[in-house]
C-alpha cells in the first residue's frame, strides 16, 4: 500500500466491538434527553440468519410496526450474540408495557418478521419489560457494553455491521461548546462536586461528565492556543 494510506473499511467489515464504539455508546445513552421506560429483547429460533444485513432488515421491519403503534418514536438498540452463536437484539423504547396483550403483540410481530414457523419461538422469542428506575436504560446499557464475550462475532457470521444504533432524536445535543485548559476543566469538575481522577483521558471525561462539546488543549497549552 502506497505511503501511509489507511485501508478503507465498511460496516460490513466490522468483526469486533471497538473501544471507540463502546465510548460512543456510553456517551450517547448517558447524555440523551430521551427517557427510555422499557426494553424489548428479541431472539431467533433454532434456525437463524448468519449475516448482519438480514438481522438489520428484520430490525427495520419491526421498527416500522412499532412506529405504527406509536411505541417507537424514539429507540435505542444494541446487538449481541448468544452462546449458540445466534444474534439477539435489545431495544430501548420510550413507552411502558401496559400489559400482557402488548407483550403478545410483540411476540407475534417478531415471529412474523423473521418468518419463524417455530411455535416455541413464538412463546419464548421475545421479552418486554419496564425499567424500574428512571436511569435504568443507561445502567443496563453500560453494564452490557462491558460484556465483551457477548460481542465476539462467530466465525460463520458475516457482515455484522454496527453493534448499536438509535433514532436521530436520541443523539445528545451540545448545550454549549467551551474552550478551556486542563486545569480549568479540573477546577470546573471540583466546583461541581464531581470526583476528578488523573487516570481519565479525554474520551473518558466526555463520557463520565457529559463534556461532549469541550475542546481541551494538549498539556502545557492554554485556552488561548486553541
Amino acid at each position: 500500500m502506497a505511503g501511509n494510506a489507511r485501508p478503507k473499511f465498511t460496516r460490513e467489515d466490522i468483526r469486533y466491538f471497538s473501544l471507540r464504539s463502546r465510548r460512543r455508546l456510553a456517551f450517547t445513552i448517558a447524555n440523551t434527553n430521551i427517557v427510555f421506560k422499557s426494553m424489548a429483547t428479541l431472539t431467533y429460533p433454532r434456525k437463524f440468519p448468519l449475516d448482519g444485513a438480514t438481522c438489520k432488515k428484520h430490525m427495520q421491519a419491526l421498527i416500522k410496526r412499532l412506529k405504527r403503534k406509536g411505541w417507537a418514536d424514539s429507540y435505542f438498540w444494541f446487538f449481541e450474540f448468544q452462546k449458540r452463536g445466534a444474534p439477539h437484539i435489545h431495544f430501548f423504547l420510550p413507552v411502558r408495557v401496559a400489559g400482557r396483550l402488548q407483550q403478545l403483540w410483540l411476540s407475534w410481530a417478531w415471529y412474523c418478521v423473521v418468518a419463524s414457523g417455530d411455535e416455541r419461538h413464538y412463546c419464548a422469542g421475545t421479552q418486554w419489560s419496564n425499567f424500574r428506575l428512571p436511569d435504568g436504560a443507561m445502567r443496563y446499557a453500560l453494564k452490557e457494553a462491558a460484556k465483551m464475550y457477548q460481542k465476539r462475532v462467530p466465525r460463520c457470521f458475516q457482515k455484522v455491521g454496527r453493534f448499536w444504533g438509535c433514532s436521530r432524536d436520541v443523539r445528545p445535543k451540545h448545550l454549549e461548546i467551551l474552550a478551556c485548559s486542563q486545569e480549568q476543566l479540573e477546577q470546573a469538575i471540583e466546583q461541581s462536586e464531581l470526583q476528578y481522577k488523573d487516570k481519565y483521558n479525554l474520551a473518558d471525561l466526555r463520557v463520565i461528565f457529559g463534556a461532549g462539546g469541550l475542546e481541551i488543549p494538549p498539556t502545557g497549552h492554554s485556552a488561548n492556543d486553541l
Side-chain angles (χ1 to χ4, degrees), residues 45-186:
R46 183 173 298 179
K47 293 183 179 180
F48 52 86
L50 294 175
D51 67 284
T54 299
C55 295
K56 301 303 165 54
K57 288 180 181 178
H58 291 159
M59 285 172 48
Q60 291 302 320
L62 183 66
I63 288 172
K64 289 180 180 179
R65 294 188 179 214
L66 287 166
K67 283 185 173 181
R68 286 198 292 267
K69 287 286 187 178
W71 296 338
D73 293 334
S74 303
Y75 59 86
F76 182 98
W77 61 266
F78 57 95
F79 200 73
E80 294 180 323
F81 292 93
Q82 298 174 316
K83 289 182 179 180
R84 64 187 176 119
H88 71 281
I89 307 157
H90 295 289
F91 261 104
F92 293 169
L93 299 167
V95 296
R96 297 189 68 82
V97 184
R100 181 63 177 163
L101 288 177
Q102 205 167 344
Q103 294 172 329
L104 289 173
W105 178 93
L106 178 65
S107 295
W108 177 250
W110 183 240
Y111 175 87
C112 293
V113 163
V114 302
S116 173
D118 186 338
E119 185 177 346
R120 289 173 297 181
H121 176 247
Y122 169 67
C123 296
T126 64
Q127 184 178 1
W128 195 359
S129 58
N130 296 321
F131 289 115
R132 296 181 180 180
L133 301 174
D135 61 349
M138 180 192 71
R139 291 171 179 267
Y140 190 89
L142 296 181
K143 180 183 71 173
E144 290 298 306
K147 295 181 179 179
M148 294 304 295
Y149 65 91
Q150 292 183 328
K151 314 300 186 298
R152 294 171 185 162
V153 182
R155 291 185 178 181
C156 60
F157 199 88
Q158 302 296 320
K159 302 178 181 179
V160 62
R162 293 185 61 176
F163 276 89
W164 68 276
C166 60
S167 55
R168 291 184 179 181
D169 59 330
V170 173
R171 299 170 186 169
K173 298 177 176 60
H174 297 320
L175 299 178
E176 187 176 0
I177 297 180
L178 303 174
C180 65
S181 65
Q182 185 74 21
E183 182 180 359
Q184 290 171 328
L185 176 60
E186 293 175 24

